[in-house]
Amino acid sequence: MNHFQYHLGQLHAEAVPLSRIAKTVGTPFYCYSTATLKHHYKVFTSALAGLDAHVHYAMKANANIAVVRTLANLGAGADVVSEGELRLALAAGMPARRIVFSGVGKTQSELTLALREGILQINVESVPELKALNEIAMALGVRAPVSLRVNPDIDAATHVKITTGRKENKFGIEWTHAHAVFHMAAALPGIDVVGVAVHIGSQITELEPFRLAFLRVRDLVLMLRADGMTIRHIDLGGGLGIPYDPDMAEPPSPIAYAEVIRSTLADLGCTLLLEPGRLIVGNAGVLVTKVIYVKEGATRTFVIVDAAMNDLVRPAMYDAYHEIIPVIEPAAGANRSLMDVVGPVCESGDTFAQQRPLPPITAGDLVAVGSAGAYGAAMASSYNARPLVPEVLVRGDAFAVVRRRPSYEEMLALEVLPDWLAGAR
Ligand SMILES: *Cc1c(COP(=O)(O)O)cnc(C)c1O
């Protein structure tokens, strides 16, 4: 369910026609809907009702400061994976006590900042990280609140680049070592072991991998408790998938997901931390782009748009499906023909859709790329020296640019010629 719908023949974000935003900010641009963000957050938190569970929104899905503030205002915490995200979370007004820090390669300076700010917990993923954090905490005279992220060796049956819970993946502490590492952590003076963490992957569309992973965590918690350790937090990560293609079966609902949590972990008396990213923002955003040319190839029609793989890399990187929605509503019964929707970047992978049945399209038309709120702007680059595209947030009949497009002057200002090239040519 989202708030990008046709109204009087025009695709709107809530009460704002996307064509109006395009006139003001130019194309391409990302557009997010406040009502959709709120809706997804509420659907997820209502499903968890009755559990001692807290949402720590995974900022890597979309770290826009206005998106994060909107969610913080609803009571969400944040899951960050870098100093940049930590700073953005704090700048968005997220209280430090609601921030969790994840990631396999946190640096000394990142860990130091996290401890100085007094965040809720650091999810440690290896013995070397544990030792480094212990030293930093002792030097600062504090005890670092730590959950150890374990790798449960579960195949999440998702795209190979976003499955993270198998033993071949770089993430978490190897399952068979977990028990020993917990004991080692408990003996370190700078470490306060507060919990267990898992995250098995992203865009997961079945419940069974979650159930198996949660049962493994349950066994571990019981074993650690039997050893006399207090485990207060269980961090379940994120990963629940969303619908991208309206013709595909819907992924499990948050209610069904919460049922798996209830049946595996609810009786342990732990505070549960959840880190959804995509589920909250994925369908709350679109990428609006303008058709530059329609080119008739030998066997295909190419719709060449002004957005490209550097703006939205998911199709190139994960073979992801995104809906392509004309901003002007097609006439009822309009003839559809198969088209490839591609960007201007010099790579064949720069393709948003292949052989997609679309109504007649001509140069100058606007189209929206659907479900682009997660891992869209957040993964964008300036490949081909293309400026990052602006982000716009809509609320009701109002919209605001919440990240502006950099100017070419700003882009050029970062480039420096060395002395030996700076003189006359
Ligand atoms: C990526 C990630 C998430 C969020 O995953 P989604 O699929 O967007 O819900 C949560 N926790 C950790 C540790 C992650 O790496």
Side-chain angles (χ1 to χ4, degrees):
M1 147 77 185
N2 63 60
H3 290 77
F4 298 98
Q5 306 291 341
Y6 288 117
H7 180 62
L8 302 175
Q10 285 252 9
L11 189 62
H12 282 61
E14 304 188 24
V16 183
L18 289 172
S19 58
R20 171 136 62 91
I21 304 176
K23 261 197 206 107
T24 317
V25 306
T27 56
F29 65 91
Y30 277 98
C31 178
Y32 311 129
S33 150
T34 301
T36 313
L37 283 173
K38 288 189 174 171
H39 174 73
H40 288 158
Y41 180 79
K42 291 203 169 131
V43 165
F44 193 72
T45 49
S46 323
L48 300 168
L51 292 166
D52 177 13
H54 299 267
V55 171
H56 298 268
Y57 164 65
M59 273 178 61
K60 76 174 196 276
N62 184 325
N64 181 274
I65 196 165
V67 167
V68 177
R69 166 83 60 113
T70 301
L71 294 171
N73 285 349
L74 295 172
D79 169 44
V80 304
V81 293
S82 70
E83 177 164 349
E85 283 190 4
L86 176 52
R87 288 177 183 271
L88 270 165
L90 295 168
M94 184 69 74
R97 291 297 303 161
R98 283 197 230 147
I99 299 176
V100 173
F101 199 160
S102 301
V104 286
K106 303 177 207 79
T107 63
Q108 281 222 0
S109 65
E110 288 179 322
L111 293 171
T112 306
L113 180 67
L115 289 179
R116 286 226 165 94
E117 293 291 340
I119 70 168
L120 177 65
Q121 78 177 27
I122 299 176
N123 291 354
V124 168
E125 300 211 15
S126 67
V127 171
E129 183 188 356
L130 191 60
K131 289 181 173 164
L133 180 59
N134 178 53
E135 307 253 308
I136 297 166
M138 286 201 302
L140 292 175
V142 298
R143 291 185 79 208
V146 162
S147 280
L148 291 178
R149 174 170 172 185
V150 296
N151 182 327
D153 192 19
I154 301 288
D155 188 348
T158 182
H159 190 278
V160 60
K161 285 180 186 157
I162 47 176
T163 190
T164 59
R166 292 185 308 190
K167 63 177 182 294
E168 297 81 8
N169 302 131
K170 68 181 176 182
F171 299 97
I173 290 162
E174 155 53 30
W175 181 249
T176 55
H177 302 167
H179 185 252
V181 178
F182 267 91
H183 278 273
M184 173 198 232
L188 295 172
I191 301 292
D192 177 19
V193 179
V194 297
V196 181
V198 275
H199 170 73
I200 58 171
S202 199
Q203 188 53 18
I204 299 170
T205 53
E206 294 165 23
L207 291 174
E208 192 59 9
F210 288 116
R211 204 178 64 83
L212 295 174
F214 298 168
L215 283 173
R216 291 209 131 180
V217 168
R218 175 189 182 83
D219 288 347
L220 180 62
V221 170
L222 292 175
M223 197 180 348
L224 296 169
R225 281 200 179 149
D227 297 346
M229 235 179 266
T230 2
I231 299 294
R232 309 198 303 270
H233 292 176
I234 302 178
D235 184 332
L236 304 178
L240 188 57
I242 62 166
Y244 280 96
D245 180 346
D247 294 334
M248 297 279 283
E250 293 248 330
S253 69
I255 290 180
Y257 172 75
E259 206 37 58
V260 172
I261 298 173
R262 268 180 242 280
S263 67
T264 51
L265 299 169
D267 62 327
L268 293 177
C270 287
T271 297
L272 304 174
L273 285 64
L274 292 116
E275 301 171 347
R278 188 190 309 270
L279 186 87
I280 307 290
V281 290
N283 286 320
V286 296
L287 172 63
V288 178
T289 178
K290 189 191 277 179
V291 176
I292 313 174
Y293 300 114
V294 177
K295 166 168 143 174
E296 295 301 335
T299 57
R300 293 185 172 201
T301 301
F302 296 101
V303 176
I304 305 170
V305 296
D306 65 358
M309 63 187 289
N310 68 297
D311 305 312
L312 176 67
V313 78
R314 298 192 66 261
M317 186 127 132
Y318 311 119
D319 306 307
Y321 180 100
H322 285 268
E323 261 195 283
I324 305 284
I325 315 155
V327 165
I328 302 292
E329 187 171 18
N335 237 346
R336 289 178 182 258
S337 52
L338 299 182
M339 302 182 204
D340 284 15
V341 180
V342 303
V345 160
C346 310
E347 300 221 18
S348 299
D350 185 21
T351 298
F352 289 119
Q354 289 199 50
Q355 296 298 284
R356 188 70 63 83
L358 291 172
I361 290 187
T362 53
D365 288 357
L366 296 174
V367 297
V369 182
S371 307
Y375 306 102
M379 293 181 84
S381 77
S382 44
Y383 184 38
N384 277 211
R386 294 164 49 86
L388 292 179
V389 306
E391 295 170 81
V392 171
L393 182 65
V394 167
R395 193 190 70 163
D397 59 5
F399 74 91
V401 175
V402 291
R403 191 177 202 284
R404 66 175 177 81
R405 196 189 307 273
S407 67
Y408 286 107
E409 289 71 25
E410 284 169 311
M411 286 173 69
L412 281 169
L414 294 171
E415 306 281 328
V416 183
L417 283 170
D419 293 348
W420 63 90
L421 289 176
R425 279 164 292 156

